[in-house]
Amino acid sequence: MKLEGRKAIVTGGSRGIGKAVALMFAKEGADVLVNYHSNDAAARETVAEIEKLGRRGIAVAADVADYKSAQNMVDECVKQLGGVDIVVNNAGVSKPSMLLKMPEADWDYIINVHLKAAFNTTQAAGRYMKEKNYGKIINVISTAGIFGTIGQINYASAKAGIIGFTKSASRELGRYNINVNVICPGITKTEMTGKLQSDEKLRKIYEGRIQLGRFGEPEEIAPAFVFLASDDASYITGQVLGVDGGYIG
Ligand code: NAP
């Protein structure tokens, strides 16, 4: 097992990509804090599946965009699971609209849930990790943050910002043996991409932008997280790893 005895936080770990990551971490021997925002039932179900794998799971509701909530969540992991070795900043939402029509509140909301959240949790967990001289932080972006997009400038900007955040954090935290990397999933079959999956015309357009010609399953994205969270990736930091079927923008 690659993560034996590790304590991991997966934000937005109750559904979609985060759930697949939380379960794969548990299969590899980690205890997992499953963070979520409001869907208690999904979080409880994920925790039950973690426990069936013989690991400890705890569900913690916290708005990662909120500084205090995110910091309390990290404290809770240390209190209940006995430490924090791995943080996956995965929680996410989208609020599409065109730049010229975008309400200010939608800009702030998306920047906070993605970019500010990465700051909130990385700062809190980084302080514990520094003490242990060990840690793995994995942030999540999107091809929108690399290629840009029409109709989601808030989301693309937040994701692009996370690349800069990661590269700077990796420079500051490397001296404490903390690796900080980014995973860029391609279009993945989760609730977030429901419309892309169900709208035949849209689906064909987007599939045409992917070298493998299809959307990914959450279980095809998760193994890259195990790799970066494990000591197989001990000499990798400040990198962006695409797991996107060959997305060509
Ligand atoms: P999803 O299935 O819609 O799940 C979103 C998760 O985030 C849920 O667990 C949700 O909790 C949680 N969440 C939302 N807002 C939150 C907040 N303020 N605080 C804490 N948790 C919050 O999403 P997904 O498709 O798996 O996406 C996961 C990540 O991958 C996101 O960062 C997304 O931008 C990125 N991504 C996704 C795709 C894709 O094609 N799906 C592609 C590239 C990147 P509740 O259940 O309580 O709402």
Side-chain angles (χ1 to χ4, degrees):
M1 283 196 281
K2 292 193 180 294
L3 305 177
E4 183 80 59
R6 300 288 184 213
K7 316 294 179 192
I9 293 174
V10 181
T11 73
S14 56
R15 296 191 278 121
I17 294 170
K19 177 175 182 174
V21 171
L23 293 180
M24 223 167 263
F25 277 8
K27 268 187 204 141
E28 291 294 339
D31 294 332
V32 187
L33 182 155
V34 175
N35 159 255
Y36 67 104
H37 186 248
S38 45
N39 186 340
D40 302 293
R44 274 201 304 270
E45 170 60 30
T46 304
V47 164
E49 290 182 43
I50 289 169
E51 284 168 351
K52 266 193 217 143
L53 293 165
R55 304 307 317 176
R56 286 196 65 201
I58 53 170
V60 175
D63 179 358
V64 290
D66 180 78
Y67 186 75
K68 275 222 168 90
S69 303
Q71 300 229 332
N72 289 341
M73 171 189 73
V74 173
D75 290 343
E76 209 51 44
C77 184
V78 174
K79 207 157 89 190
Q80 291 198 46
L81 296 183
V84 55
D85 304 301
I86 303 162
V87 174
V88 176
N89 285 311
N90 161 82
V93 282
S94 66
K95 244 328 177 181
S97 67
M98 299 297 277
L99 166 62
L100 301 186
K101 292 186 176 163
M102 183 171 286
E104 182 189 1
D106 289 3
W107 171 267
D108 289 346
Y109 173 51
I110 294 300
I111 297 294
N112 289 341
V113 169
H114 295 269
L115 183 55
K116 184 169 180 227
F119 164 73
N120 293 342
T121 56
T122 302
Q123 185 188 67
R127 288 173 177 158
Y128 287 111
M129 289 170 172
K130 176 185 168 189
E131 292 308 309
K132 269 184 83 176
N133 200 45
Y134 185 90
K136 311 278 184 191
I137 292 167
I138 306 171
N139 297 320
V140 178
I141 65 153
S142 153
T143 54
I146 295 171
F147 296 103
T149 180
I150 293 175
Q152 292 201 67
I153 198 166
N154 47 2
Y155 183 80
S157 303
K159 294 303 200 186
I162 288 173
I163 298 175
F165 175 82
T166 301
K167 289 190 178 283
S168 301
S170 71
R171 284 175 180 252
E172 289 197 20
L173 302 181
R175 73 196 72 173
Y176 309 123
N177 193 32
I178 300 170
N179 307 56
V180 193
N181 289 292
V182 170
I183 285 179
C184 179
I187 301 170
T188 310
K189 293 183 190 166
T190 68
E191 284 179 43
M192 187 180 270
T193 55
K195 191 165 158 45
L196 289 187
Q197 294 173 61
S198 61
D199 182 324
E200 176 95 11
K201 211 173 133 199
L202 264 183
R203 184 168 55 76
K204 288 227 159 81
I205 293 171
Y206 279 89
E207 281 175 350
R209 296 179 184 169
I210 303 166
Q211 290 171 27
L212 295 181
R214 61 180 179 82
F215 297 168
E217 301 289 341
E219 293 71 23
E220 292 180 283
I221 312 297
F225 286 84
V226 172
F227 170 61
L228 286 180
S230 77
D231 290 331
D232 287 347
S234 57
Y235 204 55
I236 299 176
T237 196
Q239 301 302 306
V240 179
L241 175 59
V243 189
D244 60 5
Y247 192 84
I248 47 183

